[in-house]
Amino acid sequence: MADVTFTVDGKKLTAPAGTLLIEACREASIAIPQFCYYPGLSLQAACRMCLVRLEKVPKLQTACTTPVTEGMVVTTESDEITQAPRRKATVELLLGNHPLDCPVCDAGGECELQDMTFKYGAHESLYVEAKQHRDEQQWSPVVFFDRPRCILCYRCVRMCGEGMDVWALGVQNRGVTSIIAPNGGDHLDCEECGMCIDACPVGALTSGTYRYKTRPGK
């Protein structure tokens, strides 16, 4: 496949035609934030964190679904993109019900939502309603689910289905009532591989092996 040359934030880059913009930027050490994108899995474009500006295109585009083309000019960081109602507002929305329990969460220190909160300064909230609490659920001896932490990126569902060909996880309900849940009941019918836990960008899915006992350091 022929290479194409394009520009990202003033920097000339080259990549094979058809390469997803988010991957081409990653190869060039240009970080584009994302929650739902995961290499090797189907494209979801659900989180809207990877929105970028393409020259001569009227609306912002998702970098995770946009292939690079010859002469493309891209802006990944600007006030239009990073501030409300874009990335900063997206983080604020996710924090609407997400519990601020980073000190005890197993994902603390390696949580992608935590990183994005620090990066985009979403330390204030426009929400005055009380956070909706849900009790933790044990789906199996290995997998625990903390629903308020879930940001509905669907990585775990796609990893279980597309990645492992198990299809033990699914999505129930629609819209604001959507939740991740085991298919066919309250418990996972699988071999406890733990790949759903590894794919989770936050602390919604945690391991019963060392839950609340230790956290891996960076």
Side-chain angles (χ1 to χ4, degrees), residues 37-108:
Y37 177 75
Y38 198 91
L41 300 181
S42 61
L43 304 180
Q44 193 78 31
C47 70
R48 320 307 288 178
M49 281 296 291
C50 69
L51 288 173
V52 296
R53 168 61 68 190
L54 304 185
E55 189 178 71
K56 299 180 180 179
V57 177
K59 294 184 178 181
L60 297 179
Q61 302 296 307
T62 50
C64 69
T65 61
T66 301
V68 296
T69 58
E70 182 66 37
M72 175 186 286
V73 178
V74 184
T75 300
T76 69
E77 294 284 339
S78 69
D79 286 345
E80 175 195 24
I81 297 169
T82 61
Q83 299 303 307
R86 310 300 179 190
R87 292 177 186 165
K88 182 177 181 180
T90 297
V91 173
E92 290 177 350
L93 178 64
L94 294 176
L95 292 174
N97 278 317
H98 193 94
L100 303 182
D101 55 359
C102 303
V104 299
C105 177
D106 284 359

Side-chain angles (χ1 to χ4, degrees), residues 134-148 169 180-182 185-190 192 196-197 203-213:
R134 294 290 189 278
D135 291 336
E136 299 166 338
Q137 301 173 18
Q138 183 174 358
W139 285 349
S140 76
V142 174
V143 182
F144 284 73
F145 179 60
D146 194 325
R147 179 176 167 184
L169 281 172
I180 304 299
D186 297 329
H187 294 82
L188 287 174
D189 182 14
C190 63
E192 318 291 346
C196 57
I197 298 172
L205 292 172
T206 52
S207 170
T209 303
Y210 64 95
R211 180 177 166 82
Y212 295 137
K213 296 177 182 177

